[in-house]
Amino acid sequence: MEITSGGRYWLLSQTTAVSALVVTGANTAKRRKFGSVAEIDPAKQAYESIAGIYDEFTGANDYEMWFGELLPRLEALGLRRGGLLDVACGTGKAIAPMLRRGWTITACDISEAMVEKAREKFPEDVAFDVCDMRELPVYGSFELVWALNDPVNYMLGDDDLAPALRAMAANLADDGLLVFDCNTRRLFEELFSPAADAEDSDHDSKWNWERLGGDGAVFAAEISGPGVEPHVHQERYRSVEEVQAGMGAVGLTPLAAMGQSESEAGLALVDDWDEDRDHKIIHVARRA
């Protein structure tokens, strides 16, 4: 699949993940301990390598349009304006629309290079930090904590979901909302299946997205092109049932699972979800 800044999947192209992109040849990795073995964190490698082109690569992302659909639904679920913790913030593309709406923002990402790009845009208005969402500290008590554009899918391990959910929940104010999205099986098939490459073979593109397929749980594609070191992008499918069970295990109450789909006509966000219809499912939760 070839990707342009005006591509259809503007939400998928936002690669603000915190775990599990594999980069060939990168040498700026953070090391985390898994058991007794220190391993290079692949997400940090990936985002250090893509930071220079990230804003152009995700140029089609229209956050004003997205938030215009999403925020009224969150308000109907009890969202109160105040403090936002933007987890896996990338280069800060979601920040300006929320500042304009009067929010106070703290933001973090696993990549120093991505955070530096965000800090250049907002040198005074936002408190930034570099951290792994699985090891998220308690920054405060926020009315809204979110992790947008599928960072949960980037956590490949069986034991990764619980610590990330628990850490985000620890930053919620009383009645605060946790919001994050996960990709559906439909999107994984469309974006990672090698059989779909032929459909996009006639598209002009600056960067190339080569679908490598998957095993039903973990899927991969390689990104290459000007200004970015080729790297393999991996995501794990997580069902609604798995995610909601994970929420319950860390003391969160699921409030909604909204289906989101995209087409040439635009964005559709609805109150129910369907794996065959939707590209993303937006989860909303509150502390129990």
Side-chain angles (χ1 to χ4, degrees):
M1 174 185 176
E2 293 182 335
I3 298 177
T4 68
S5 61
R8 173 180 167 190
Y9 294 102
W10 72 275
L11 292 176
L12 182 75
S13 71
Q14 171 85 352
T15 49
T16 55
V18 287
S19 177
L21 290 181
V22 180
V23 179
T24 59
N27 59 8
T28 57
K30 170 186 176 184
R31 293 182 178 271
R32 299 181 70 245
K33 284 190 175 291
F34 299 91
S36 60
V37 180
E39 297 182 358
I40 297 175
D41 191 298
K44 182 177 176 65
Q45 287 183 316
Y47 291 108
E48 295 293 295
S49 98
I50 204 171
I53 69 160
Y54 185 76
D55 282 350
E56 186 179 359
F57 182 75
T58 60
N61 296 14
D62 186 344
Y63 282 88
E64 282 289 354
M65 178 270 289
W66 191 21
F67 294 170
E69 296 287 334
L70 177 60
L71 291 174
R73 293 176 182 273
L74 298 181
E75 290 165 0
L77 293 170
L79 179 65
R80 296 175 289 109
R81 185 178 301 174
L84 163 65
L85 176 58
D86 187 351
V87 178
C89 68
T91 60
K93 298 189 73 172
I95 290 174
M98 297 302 281
L99 288 176
R100 286 194 289 269
R101 287 168 169 83
W103 286 80
T104 301
I105 301 175
T106 298
C108 60
D109 196 275
I110 197 171
S111 165
E112 291 98 332
M114 298 288 274
V115 169
E116 187 56 36
K117 294 289 185 183
R119 188 178 284 117
E120 289 172 2
K121 299 175 187 175
F122 308 100
E124 298 177 353
D125 299 324
V126 180
F128 288 103
D129 192 21
V130 177
C131 73
D132 186 319
M133 70 187 297
R134 294 161 296 189
E135 302 170 353
L136 193 69
V138 176
Y139 294 111
S141 184
F142 297 87
E143 282 68 35
L144 177 60
V145 176
W146 67 20
L148 300 181
N149 290 301
D150 55 25
V152 167
N153 290 117
Y154 287 93
M155 297 187 295
L156 302 187
D158 293 340
D159 299 326
D160 285 340
L161 181 61
L165 292 176
R166 185 178 295 110
M168 289 190 289
N171 280 277
L172 286 171
D174 293 341
D175 296 326
L177 296 186
L178 171 62
V179 179
F180 60 91
D181 59 278
C182 291
N183 293 333
T184 62
R185 282 205 177 273
R186 174 187 176 183
L187 189 142
F188 278 113
E189 288 300 318
E190 293 183 5
L191 270 294
F192 292 90
S193 172
D197 270 330
E199 301 174 9
D200 299 302
S201 60
D202 60 345
H203 291 183
D204 293 329
S205 176
K206 190 171 184 177
W207 296 285
N208 186 66
W209 175 279
E210 182 183 357
R211 298 176 174 94
L212 302 178
D215 61 4
V218 177
F219 298 79
E222 184 179 69
I223 302 173
S224 60
V228 59
E229 192 172 1
H231 62 275
V232 175
H233 166 112
Q234 293 179 290
E235 294 193 43
R236 172 174 174 160
Y237 167 73
R238 295 186 184 272
S239 68
V240 172
E241 293 78 12
E242 177 188 2
V243 170
Q244 291 188 339
M247 290 178 182
V250 300
L252 287 163
T253 298
L255 299 179
M258 297 180 282
Q260 180 170 301
S261 58
E262 299 175 45
S263 68
E264 297 300 329
L267 180 91
L269 183 60
V270 296
D271 291 333
D272 63 347
W273 58 272
D274 185 316
E275 289 273 4
D276 296 321
R277 177 196 67 200
D278 301 320
H279 294 106
K280 286 183 174 290
I281 296 168
I282 298 177
H283 293 276
V284 185
R286 176 180 288 131
R287 285 194 312 208

PDB file of all heavy atoms in Angstrom, residues 52-64:
ATOM      1  N   GLY A  52      11.089  12.935  12.026  1.00  0.00           N
ATOM      2  CA  GLY A  52      11.362  14.020  11.086  1.00  0.00           C
ATOM      3  C   GLY A  52      10.321  14.180   9.997  1.00  0.00           C
ATOM      4  O   GLY A  52      10.157  15.277   9.460  1.00  0.00           O
ATOM      5  N   ILE A  53       9.626  13.097   9.644  1.00  0.00           N
ATOM      6  CA  ILE A  53       8.617  13.182   8.577  1.00  0.00           C
ATOM      7  C   ILE A  53       7.195  13.035   9.098  1.00  0.00           C
ATOM      8  O   ILE A  53       6.240  13.071   8.328  1.00  0.00           O
ATOM      9  CB  ILE A  53       8.852  12.099   7.506  1.00  0.00           C
ATOM     10  CG1 ILE A  53       8.556  10.706   8.083  1.00  0.00           C
ATOM     11  CG2 ILE A  53      10.252  12.190   6.948  1.00  0.00           C
ATOM     12  CD1 ILE A  53       8.292   9.653   7.037  1.00  0.00           C
ATOM     13  N   TYR A  54       7.054  12.872  10.393  1.00  0.00           N
ATOM     14  CA  TYR A  54       5.777  12.469  10.973  1.00  0.00           C
ATOM     15  C   TYR A  54       4.628  13.410  10.614  1.00  0.00           C
ATOM     16  O   TYR A  54       3.550  12.982  10.215  1.00  0.00           O
ATOM     17  CB  TYR A  54       5.923  12.361  12.482  1.00  0.00           C
ATOM     18  CG  TYR A  54       4.693  11.840  13.173  1.00  0.00           C
ATOM     19  CD1 TYR A  54       4.380  10.492  13.118  1.00  0.00           C
ATOM     20  CD2 TYR A  54       3.843  12.702  13.867  1.00  0.00           C
ATOM     21  CE1 TYR A  54       3.258  10.014  13.752  1.00  0.00           C
ATOM     22  CE2 TYR A  54       2.726  12.218  14.488  1.00  0.00           C
ATOM     23  CZ  TYR A  54       2.429  10.871  14.435  1.00  0.00           C
ATOM     24  OH  TYR A  54       1.304  10.399  15.050  1.00  0.00           O
ATOM     25  N   ASP A  55       4.838  14.703  10.738  1.00  0.00           N
ATOM     26  CA  ASP A  55       3.743  15.635  10.475  1.00  0.00           C
ATOM     27  C   ASP A  55       3.318  15.615   9.009  1.00  0.00           C
ATOM     28  O   ASP A  55       2.131  15.714   8.701  1.00  0.00           O
ATOM     29  CB  ASP A  55       4.135  17.054  10.893  1.00  0.00           C
ATOM     30  CG  ASP A  55       4.048  17.254  12.392  1.00  0.00           C
ATOM     31  OD1 ASP A  55       3.515  16.366  13.089  1.00  0.00           O
ATOM     32  OD2 ASP A  55       4.530  18.292  12.883  1.00  0.00           O
ATOM     33  N   GLU A  56       4.280  15.472   8.110  1.00  0.00           N
ATOM     34  CA  GLU A  56       3.924  15.386   6.695  1.00  0.00           C
ATOM     35  C   GLU A  56       3.262  14.044   6.394  1.00  0.00           C
ATOM     36  O   GLU A  56       2.291  13.968   5.646  1.00  0.00           O
ATOM     37  CB  GLU A  56       5.157  15.574   5.824  1.00  0.00           C
ATOM     38  CG  GLU A  56       4.844  15.630   4.336  1.00  0.00           C
ATOM     39  CD  GLU A  56       6.069  15.839   3.481  1.00  0.00           C
ATOM     40  OE1 GLU A  56       7.184  15.956   4.026  1.00  0.00           O
ATOM     41  OE2 GLU A  56       5.900  15.879   2.239  1.00  0.00           O
ATOM     42  N   PHE A  57       3.779  12.993   6.981  1.00  0.00           N
ATOM     43  CA  PHE A  57       3.241  11.650   6.777  1.00  0.00           C
ATOM     44  C   PHE A  57       1.782  11.561   7.209  1.00  0.00           C
ATOM     45  O   PHE A  57       0.967  10.861   6.603  1.00  0.00           O
ATOM     46  CB  PHE A  57       4.092  10.656   7.565  1.00  0.00           C
ATOM     47  CG  PHE A  57       3.683   9.215   7.413  1.00  0.00           C
ATOM     48  CD1 PHE A  57       3.980   8.520   6.259  1.00  0.00           C
ATOM     49  CD2 PHE A  57       3.023   8.569   8.437  1.00  0.00           C
ATOM     50  CE1 PHE A  57       3.612   7.182   6.131  1.00  0.00           C
ATOM     51  CE2 PHE A  57       2.656   7.240   8.309  1.00  0.00           C
ATOM     52  CZ  PHE A  57       2.951   6.542   7.159  1.00  0.00           C
ATOM     53  N   THR A  58       1.433  12.271   8.268  1.00  0.00           N
ATOM     54  CA  THR A  58       0.060  12.249   8.785  1.00  0.00           C
ATOM     55  C   THR A  58      -0.685  13.535   8.440  1.00  0.00           C
ATOM     56  O   THR A  58      -1.572  13.966   9.162  1.00  0.00           O
ATOM     57  CB  THR A  58       0.071  12.051  10.315  1.00  0.00           C
ATOM     58  OG1 THR A  58       0.796  13.128  10.918  1.00  0.00           O
ATOM     59  CG2 THR A  58       0.735  10.728  10.687  1.00  0.00           C
ATOM     60  N   GLY A  59      -0.315  14.147   7.312  1.00  0.00           N
ATOM     61  CA  GLY A  59      -0.870  15.460   6.960  1.00  0.00           C
ATOM     62  C   GLY A  59      -2.361  15.484   6.743  1.00  0.00           C
ATOM     63  O   GLY A  59      -2.979  16.547   6.793  1.00  0.00           O
ATOM     64  N   ALA A  60      -2.987  14.323   6.475  1.00  0.00           N
ATOM     65  CA  ALA A  60      -4.431  14.307   6.227  1.00  0.00           C
ATOM     66  C   ALA A  60      -5.249  14.304   7.510  1.00  0.00           C
ATOM     67  O   ALA A  60      -6.473  14.431   7.457  1.00  0.00           O
ATOM     68  CB  ALA A  60      -4.800  13.076   5.385  1.00  0.00           C
ATOM     69  N   ASN A  61      -4.605  14.147   8.642  1.00  0.00           N
ATOM     70  CA  ASN A  61      -5.350  14.041   9.904  1.00  0.00           C
ATOM     71  C   ASN A  61      -6.070  15.341  10.246  1.00  0.00           C
ATOM     72  O   ASN A  61      -5.436  16.369  10.453  1.00  0.00           O
ATOM     73  CB  ASN A  61      -4.400  13.688  11.057  1.00  0.00           C
ATOM     74  CG  ASN A  61      -3.764  12.323  10.893  1.00  0.00           C
ATOM     75  OD1 ASN A  61      -3.812  11.740   9.816  1.00  0.00           O
ATOM     76  ND2 ASN A  61      -3.172  11.825  11.948  1.00  0.00           N
ATOM     77  N   ASP A  62      -7.384  15.284  10.330  1.00  0.00           N
ATOM     78  CA  ASP A  62      -8.203  16.456  10.616  1.00  0.00           C
ATOM     79  C   ASP A  62      -8.804  16.313  12.016  1.00  0.00           C
ATOM     80  O   ASP A  62      -9.896  15.780  12.197  1.00  0.00           O
ATOM     81  CB  ASP A  62      -9.309  16.595   9.566  1.00  0.00           C
ATOM     82  CG  ASP A  62     -10.111  17.880   9.710  1.00  0.00           C
ATOM     83  OD1 ASP A  62     -10.036  18.514  10.781  1.00  0.00           O
ATOM     84  OD2 ASP A  62     -10.810  18.238   8.757  1.00  0.00           O
ATOM     85  N   TYR A  63      -8.062  16.794  13.011  1.00  0.00           N
ATOM     86  CA  TYR A  63      -8.517  16.632  14.388  1.00  0.00           C
ATOM     87  C   TYR A  63      -9.733  17.485  14.708  1.00  0.00           C
ATOM     88  O   TYR A  63     -10.573  17.102  15.522  1.00  0.00           O
ATOM     89  CB  TYR A  63      -7.370  16.929  15.351  1.00  0.00           C
ATOM     90  CG  TYR A  63      -6.408  15.785  15.464  1.00  0.00           C
ATOM     91  CD1 TYR A  63      -5.332  15.672  14.592  1.00  0.00           C
ATOM     92  CD2 TYR A  63      -6.586  14.792  16.410  1.00  0.00           C
ATOM     93  CE1 TYR A  63      -4.456  14.606  14.663  1.00  0.00           C
ATOM     94  CE2 TYR A  63      -5.715  13.729  16.502  1.00  0.00           C
ATOM     95  CZ  TYR A  63      -4.653  13.631  15.622  1.00  0.00           C
ATOM     96  OH  TYR A  63      -3.794  12.564  15.694  1.00  0.00           O
ATOM     97  N   GLU A  64      -9.834  18.645  14.118  1.00  0.00           N
ATOM     98  CA  GLU A  64     -11.017  19.469  14.359  1.00  0.00           C
ATOM     99  C   GLU A  64     -12.280  18.724  13.941  1.00  0.00           C
ATOM    100  O   GLU A  64     -13.283  18.731  14.646  1.00  0.00           O
ATOM    101  CB  GLU A  64     -10.910  20.792  13.600  1.00  0.00           C
ATOM    102  CG  GLU A  64      -9.993  21.814  14.245  1.00  0.00           C
ATOM    103  CD  GLU A  64     -10.561  22.396  15.532  1.00  0.00           C
ATOM    104  OE1 GLU A  64     -11.722  22.095  15.889  1.00  0.00           O
ATOM    105  OE2 GLU A  64      -9.823  23.151  16.201  1.00  0.00           O
TER     106      GLU A  64
END
